[in-house]
């Protein structure tokens, strides 16, 4: 009987307001995650082997990448230009939509990232009196475009071990001053939620196992979640409220006798109004800080490549000249290599060991090879310094000066943790690094000049030993050769500056002069010349981490729990898996008539979820919760309402998704024997067609408010929804795009079907959009 009703209802509904089937394509892979681009007709999918695929609306594949890690979550940036991937080992990978190249790898968690949500500041959420202040990035006035990652002599930045081989430049998405303020939220398996502005600048982290929770039904008792794991997170478009679904036990911290030993799915509401109230300040700070962090990576890669190039050249030099001490020992002499060269320089005497070394072991060809390697390394080092290292540290210095100015505006920026003293310390560190880079340039130029003179002289000696005409060999500068032998054979000044633990010696007169200049400039670091270039860079990094940790800690401390709603108890370990949980969270703008006077922009939060069979004594039920309260008050049971929807027993809900205009899309599949194909249905329901029942207060012994709600039977032969029969047995995921009005369904037989959901969709909107 129910089957006949379903078939009749679908036929009638499809004839009146059918979903338009765009295409049905076979696919050679199993999909476990899929998300539509919010701005373009593009669908990103993650296959069961963690390959990431991007398809156009017409199913033309644009690219496929293999991140080499197990992908556990996916989402798009609000502008649709970046794909964020969460991995099993706690990384967030940001990829460019144009070509799939890696833009950034961020270590956000220590465990698997099970959900991602990227929310952008909605212009409608700004009150008239607080219009968005466009922040001008003044760096472009005084500096050319920021330097990119250096690539030298066939080496890519990936050879440094510091950056992905596809990372070529600082991505514009993090530094564009006209970009809207946005925050990437990532939820970890251990109950931690991380917040990153522009997806790259970490600005907060909370652990839901440690935050105090107030449960209204239990009076003033304090609770905490225990062994909680996050299933889904969603930040509202006005950035003031974070709704997350999590599994865990609710523990009464005041009395162990009131603990709930059974794990449950909870809906947790967090107050994130700090993002809304201080978004202009956070926008300005994060733009500068993100660009600084990018430039720090350029400095790191530059130093690493310089060190690699110089090390390769010196390894060849030492390899060739290491034969001389062995020859000296073989001839029974007790002199050093330096003594042999000095004797040759001033006494025109060549010992048998040195003669054999110059004429046979080294030779003219070997000497020219070394000279070419050192000269090539010198040219490439000068190029890295002038084109990458020096511009990067200078721009960092300017951007830190901008942050220093903001930090002095204490009334606006101290509240987000921008500390003036810490920024002053970082400013001094970068100033010292600028001096160190200039010092390195001078030392490198001097060393390379000494090498050139030494090689010229040795070449003269080799040609004399080989009976070459002397007038073809230019005269050597004896003083420079002596300096070379004195310093370079004993200590390598370039290597010293590239060692992290090296202490540089300098005379007392220089020390006194430097101290006077430093104090005169208003700084405190009078011993920076004792440090190497690398050590100064490490100190800059440490001071940056300390300075940026203050906003991170300050913002984290201002995110607190508004309230918690236990949804249903769970007993099966499989149910605790986020991949088995059918949930969806969305926010819709309230009607102007229903908006409170104190708020000109308010959102209603909806949570839709499937209740496991047997839980709450329900079977085959869908729950929908609505929070109509504003974002300025603690969560109240009076603001929460909901309804339960019973799916006919002959069908199972495969997946679900909240859609625009308070609609729900359900994907149903018919129970059938394993040897016969079943039928499936896609159903769109209007939430306004159902009666939301206020959730009443309950006692601590019965905290599940939904248990008292009577489930409404799903009737498909009414006017409140649309139904479409699907010619395949379907499987998860269901990918729905509210901005494009489309849904993609995947069948168990590896078919992809794309439907147009809106009956008033314009024909020109159905056409494939080109990549922007």
């Amino acid at each position: 009987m129910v089957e006949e009703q379903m078939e009749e209802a679908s036929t009638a509904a499809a004839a009146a307001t059918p979903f338009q089937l765009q295409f049905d394509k076979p696919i050679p892979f199993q999909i476990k995650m899929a998300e539509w681009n919010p701005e373009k007709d593009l669908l990103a999918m993650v296959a069961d082997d963690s390959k990431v695929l991007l398809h156009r609306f017409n199913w033309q594949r644009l690219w496929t990448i293999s991140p080499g890690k197990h992908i556990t979550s996916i989402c798009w940036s609000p502008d649709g230009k970046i794909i964020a991937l969460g991995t099993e080992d706690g990384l967030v990978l940001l990829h460019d939509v144009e070509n799939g190249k890696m833009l950034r790898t961020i270590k956000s968690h220590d465990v698997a990232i099970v959900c991602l949500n990227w929310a952008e500041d909605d212009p409608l959420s700004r009150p008239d009196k607080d219009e968005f202040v466009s922040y001008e990035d003044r760096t472009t006035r005084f500096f050319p475009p920021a330097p990119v990652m250096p690539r030298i002599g066939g080496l890519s930045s990936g050879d440094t071990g510091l950056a992905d081989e596809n990372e070529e430049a600082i991505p514009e998405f993090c530094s564009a001053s006209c970009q809207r303020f946005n925050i990437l939220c990532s939820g970890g398996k251990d109950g931690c939620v991380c917040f990153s502005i522009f997806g790259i600048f970490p600005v907060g982290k909370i652990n839901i196992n440690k935050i105090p929770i107030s449960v209204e039904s239990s009076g003033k008792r304090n609770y905490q979640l225990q062994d909680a794991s996050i299933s889904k997170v969603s930040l509202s478009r006005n950035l003031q409220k974070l709704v997350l679904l999590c599994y865990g036990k609710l523990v009464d911290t005041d009395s162990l006798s009131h603990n709930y030993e059974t794990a449950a799915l909870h809906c947790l509401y967090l107050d994130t109004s700090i993002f809304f109230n201080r978004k202009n300040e956070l926008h300005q700070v994060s733009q500068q800080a993100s660009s600084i962090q990018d430039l720090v990576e350029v400095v790191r890669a530059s130093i690493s490549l310089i060190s690699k190039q110089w090390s390769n050249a010196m390894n060849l030099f030492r390899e060739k000249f290491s034969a001389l001490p062995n020859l000296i020992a073989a001839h029974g002499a007790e002199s050093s290599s330096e003594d042999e060269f000095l004797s040759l320089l001033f006494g025109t005497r060549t010992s048998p060991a040195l003669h054999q070394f110059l004429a046979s072991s080294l030779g003219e060809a070997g000497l020219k090879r070394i000279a070419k390697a050192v000269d090539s390394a010198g040219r490439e080092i000068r190029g890295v310094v002038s084109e990458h290292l020096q511009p990067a540290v200078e721009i960092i210095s300017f951007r830190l000066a901008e942050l220093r100015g903001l930090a002095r505006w204490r009334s606006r920026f101290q509240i987000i943790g921008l500390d003036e003293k810490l920024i002053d310390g970082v400013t001094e560190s970068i100033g010292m690094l600028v001096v160190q880079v200039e010092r390195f340039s001078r030392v490198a130029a001097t060393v390379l000049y000494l090498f050139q003179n030494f090689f010229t002289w040795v070449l003269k000696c080799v040609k004399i030993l080989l009976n070459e005409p002397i007038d073809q060999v230019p005269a050597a500068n004896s003083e420079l050769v002596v300096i070379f032998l004195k310093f370079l054979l004993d200590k390598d000044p370039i290597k010293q500056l590239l060692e992290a633990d090296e202490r540089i010696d300098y005379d007392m007169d220089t020390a006194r002069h430097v101290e006077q200049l430093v104090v005169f400039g208003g700084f405190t670091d009078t011993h920076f010349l004792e440090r190497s270039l690398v050590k100064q860079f490490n100190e800059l990094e440490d001071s940056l981490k300390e300075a940026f940790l203050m906003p991170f800690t300050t913002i984290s401390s201002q995110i607190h729990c508004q309230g918690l709603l236990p949804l249903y108890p769970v007993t099966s370990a499989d149910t605790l898996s986020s991949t088995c949980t059918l949930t969806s969270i969305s926010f819709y703008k309230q009607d102007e008539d229903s908006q409170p006077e104190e708020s000109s922009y308010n959102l209603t939060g909806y949570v839709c979820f499937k209740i496991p069979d047997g839980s709450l004594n329900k079977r085959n039920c869908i729950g929908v919760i609505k929070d109509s309260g504003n974002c300025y008050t603690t969560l109240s049971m009076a603001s929460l309402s909901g309804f339960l929807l019973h799916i006919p027993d002959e069908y199972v809900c495969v997946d679900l998704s909240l859609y625009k205009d308070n609609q729900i899309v359900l994907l149903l599949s018919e129970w059938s024997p394993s040897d016969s194909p079943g039928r499936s249905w896609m159903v769109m329901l209007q939430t306004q067609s159902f009666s939301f029942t206020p959730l009443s207060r309950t006692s601590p012994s019965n905290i599940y408010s939904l248990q008292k709600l009577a489930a409404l039977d799903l009737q498909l032969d009414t006017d409140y929804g649309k139904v479409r029969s699907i010619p395949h047995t379907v499987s998860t995921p269901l990918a729905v795009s509210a901005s494009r009005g489309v849904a993609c369904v995947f069948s168990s037989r590896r078919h992809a079907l794309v439907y147009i959901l809106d009956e008033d969709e314009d024909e020109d909107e159905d056409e494939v959009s080109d990549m922007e």
Side-chain angles (χ1 to χ4, degrees), residues 460-753:
K460 173 184 175 181
C461 296
V462 171
K463 288 193 174 185
I464 290 176
L465 294 175
L466 297 176
N467 297 319
E468 293 287 343
I470 295 179
D471 56 2
Q472 294 183 5
V473 182
N477 187 320
S478 301
E479 182 179 357
L480 293 178
V481 173
V482 172
I483 295 174
F484 176 87
L485 294 172
K486 182 179 180 180
F487 293 101
L488 285 177
L489 291 182
D490 182 30
K491 286 187 177 181
D492 182 349
I494 293 181
K495 181 181 178 182
Q496 280 186 301
L497 292 174
L498 296 174
E499 294 287 339
D501 299 327
E502 191 72 31
R503 184 183 183 277
I504 312 299
D505 297 325
Y506 56 99
D507 59 81
M508 295 302 298
D509 290 338
T510 302
R512 284 192 295 270
H513 183 59
V514 168
E515 184 173 353
Q516 292 173 357
L517 291 175
V518 169
V519 174
F520 180 77
F523 298 106
T524 60
D525 187 358
T526 60
H527 301 285
F528 70 93
L529 286 181
E530 297 177 0
R531 295 189 290 272
S532 65
L533 172 66
V534 172
K535 188 172 184 179
Q536 186 65 57
F537 173 68
N538 291 340
E539 290 198 2
L540 171 66
E541 278 201 300
D542 292 339
S543 60
L544 277 173
K545 288 179 182 178
E546 184 180 8
F548 292 154
L549 182 61
M550 283 295 292
F552 181 89
T553 304
T554 302
I555 298 299
S556 300
S557 64
Q558 297 187 53
I559 299 173
H560 59 270
C561 178
Q562 283 187 323
L564 174 141
L565 176 65
L567 298 180
Y568 56 78
V570 293
T571 56
S572 172
D574 294 335
T575 309
L576 297 176
S577 172
S578 61
T579 57
C580 300
T581 306
L582 303 183
T583 58
S584 183
I585 306 174
S586 189
F587 294 88
Y588 302 112
K589 190 174 184 299
Q590 290 184 357
D591 296 333
E592 294 183 2
D593 296 338
S594 63
Q595 297 232 15
E597 295 180 358
E598 64 270 16
S599 175
S600 60
Y601 181 87
N602 213 0
L603 297 170
T604 299
Y606 284 82
V607 179
C608 184
F609 53 94
K610 184 181 186 300
I611 300 175
D613 289 346
S615 184
L616 300 179
N617 297 320
K618 306 292 182 182
R619 175 176 173 77
N620 222 12
C621 277
I622 302 296
V624 179
I625 301 297
K626 177 173 68 174
D627 173 25
S628 57
N630 61 54
C631 299
Y632 303 100
T633 60
T634 302
L635 181 73
S636 170
M637 294 297 289
S639 68
L640 295 177
S641 58
F643 69 85
L644 299 182
L645 187 64
H646 177 256
I647 307 298
D649 292 337
E650 288 78 8
Y651 298 87
V652 61
C653 181
V654 178
D655 206 346
L656 53 82
S657 177
L658 286 162
Y659 186 54
K660 61 184 178 181
D661 300 327
N662 306 321
Q663 299 177 78
I664 304 174
V665 179
L666 301 178
L667 194 60
L668 307 180
S669 185
E670 181 183 27
W671 288 107
S672 62
S674 57
D675 57 348
S676 62
R679 290 180 296 176
S680 301
W681 313 82
M682 185 160 56
V683 184
M684 183 187 293
L685 305 174
Q686 293 282 350
T687 59
Q688 293 93 332
S689 302
F690 298 92
S691 176
F692 282 85
T693 303
L695 299 180
S696 59
R697 292 176 179 267
T698 54
S699 63
S701 61
N702 182 18
I703 61 174
Y704 303 106
S705 303
L706 301 182
Q707 200 166 23
K708 296 184 177 181
L709 297 182
L712 305 173
D713 288 329
L714 176 62
Q715 300 291 336
L716 300 180
D717 55 351
T718 61
D719 296 333
Y720 61 64
K722 295 191 297 183
V723 180
R724 180 64 186 245
S725 176
I726 299 175
H728 300 279
T729 302
V730 295
S731 61
T732 57
L734 168 65
V736 175
S737 171
S739 61
R740 294 307 190 194
V742 295
C744 184
V745 178
F746 298 94
S747 75
S748 56
R749 296 189 175 185
R750 296 192 176 182
H751 275 247
L753 303 91

Side-chain angles (χ1 to χ4, degrees), residues 308-420:
K308 186 177 183 68
Q309 289 295 99
W310 185 249
S311 177
N312 290 341
M314 289 300 97
N315 287 340
L316 180 61
F317 174 79
R318 295 187 186 94
E319 177 186 349
K320 293 297 183 181
F321 276 77
S322 63
L324 180 56
N326 297 330
L327 291 174
I328 294 174
H331 284 81
E334 297 182 354
S335 60
S336 64
S337 299
E338 181 180 349
D339 294 335
E340 292 290 334
F341 279 113
L342 289 175
S343 176
L344 176 63
L345 179 64
F346 295 112
T348 64
R349 180 185 63 82
T350 306
S351 68
L354 184 59
H355 186 282
Q356 181 180 352
F357 171 72
L358 295 177
S360 302
S361 299
L362 181 62
E364 182 178 353
L367 182 62
K368 288 183 176 180
R369 181 186 172 193
I370 299 173
K372 182 179 179 180
V374 173
D375 181 66
S376 176
R379 287 197 310 271
E380 292 168 341
I381 288 172
R382 286 193 292 268
V384 172
V385 171
S386 62
E387 297 176 14
H388 302 274
L389 180 58
Q390 191 165 7
V393 296
E394 289 175 352
I395 296 177
I396 291 174
S397 179
F398 182 86
R399 290 192 177 278
L400 282 171
E402 295 282 271
L403 280 180
R404 190 183 186 191
L406 296 178
R408 292 185 175 184
W409 195 350
R410 298 182 184 89
S411 61
R412 289 198 62 180
F413 290 90
Q414 196 172 48
I415 195 170
I416 64 169
L418 194 63
D419 187 272
E420 182 180 352

Side-chain angles (χ1 to χ4, degrees), residues 161-176:
L162 301 169
D164 185 87
E165 62 180 0
N166 291 324
E167 188 173 11
E168 297 179 349
I170 298 176
E172 296 180 357
F173 69 88
C174 69
S175 58

Side-chain angles (χ1 to χ4, degrees), residues 41 180 292 322 351 448 617:
D41 292 323
R180 287 183 188 172
I292 288 171
S322 63
S351 68
L448 293 170
N617 297 320

